[in-house]
Amino acid sequence: MKKHWILSILMSMVLIGGVILPTGHYTAAADNSTVISDEVNTEETINQEEQELTADDQDFLDYLDALEAAAVYETKAMSAIGGNTYITSSNRKSFFLTLNNTAIPNYTKYVSMLKQIKPENTQLKKIHDKLIKGSYAQLEGYQLFKKAVSKTTVNRTFLKQGNDKIAAGKKSIEQYLKEVKTYGEQLGFQM
């Protein structure tokens, strides 16, 4: 329960930009002793719960933070593509430019950042390797898409190979998502 509370606070800090004010700050200025007492009690409670985090818990929280930083680039790449991968001769050039200028550079940065994440826990590392494998396969798929639309006619062979790479990457990422959820729940986090 306490781990869930800590994760909730961390997510709240992220969602509201890191600005959280203790409720003691909202009390009347004439009652300063209550404000100080509330702040001390809150800090003591947080310190006690922070001490209950194991090394694996902290490693997992650090891991989630690192993933969040990398996800910015994945989001940019996915937003650029927009789920519209139906390629025709009329949208070939715009799709090529989208891949070349936005999607592939951002997804490359995302995969690069994933490779730099090194969890301490061996089980989490094995799980993370599945995310890297799947994301790298998807990057290869996007590169094949780019190759398929780089000429005036769409190369259907490269397009099919790209679709196969994307499917393989998706399968690996889905496996990763199941395993990381299970891992987090084993640590006591509600995922």
Side-chain angles (χ1 to χ4, degrees), residues 91-103:
N91 72 355
R92 177 201 61 78
K93 187 174 181 179
S94 65
F95 190 69
F96 173 82
L97 292 173
T98 299
L99 286 170
N100 190 54
N101 297 336
T102 307

Side-chain angles (χ1 to χ4, degrees), residues 71-92:
V72 171
Y73 296 99
E74 180 192 31
T75 302
K76 287 180 185 178
M78 295 295 124
S79 295
I81 294 172
N84 186 14
T85 55
Y86 184 74
I87 302 168
T88 64
S89 56
S90 62
N91 72 355
R92 177 201 61 78

Side-chain angles (χ1 to χ4, degrees), residues 14 29 53 92 123 143 146 159 166-168 176-177:
V14 169
L53 287 177
R92 177 201 61 78
Q123 182 182 1
Q143 291 167 336
K146 178 182 162 185
L159 208 55
I166 296 289
Y176 158 79
L177 291 172

Side-chain angles (χ1 to χ4, degrees), residues 26-153:
Y26 296 110
T27 59
D31 192 10
N32 286 336
S33 62
T34 303
V35 173
I36 292 170
S37 175
D38 287 346
E39 289 175 4
V40 170
N41 288 338
T42 302
E43 288 176 13
E44 287 175 5
T45 303
I46 290 172
N47 287 338
Q48 288 172 353
E49 291 177 359
E50 283 177 356
Q51 291 173 358
E52 293 180 23
L53 287 177
T54 66
D56 287 341
D57 293 343
Q58 189 59 50
D59 185 41
F60 188 61
L61 292 174
D62 293 343
Y63 174 73
L64 294 176
D65 288 341
L67 282 181
E68 186 178 343
V72 171
Y73 296 99
E74 180 192 31
T75 302
K76 287 180 185 178
M78 295 295 124
S79 295
I81 294 172
N84 186 14
T85 55
Y86 184 74
I87 302 168
T88 64
S89 56
S90 62
N91 72 355
R92 177 201 61 78
K93 187 174 181 179
S94 65
F95 190 69
F96 173 82
L97 292 173
T98 299
L99 286 170
N100 190 54
N101 297 336
T102 307
I104 291 176
N106 280 297
Y107 209 78
T108 300
K109 178 71 174 172
Y110 168 67
V111 171
S112 174
M113 289 179 78
L114 288 180
K115 289 180 179 180
Q116 293 174 11
I117 298 172
K118 306 286 186 200
E120 299 280 327
N121 181 289
T122 55
Q123 182 182 1
L124 184 56
K125 184 181 177 341
K126 287 179 184 177
I127 294 169
H128 179 67
D129 287 343
K130 290 180 177 143
L131 177 61
I132 292 172
K133 178 183 173 186
S135 298
Y136 189 75
Q138 288 196 327
L139 177 60
E140 289 176 328
Y142 296 137
Q143 291 167 336
L144 286 166
F145 286 162
K146 178 182 162 185
K147 197 171 183 180
V149 296
S150 64
K151 307 284 184 206
T152 53
T153 58

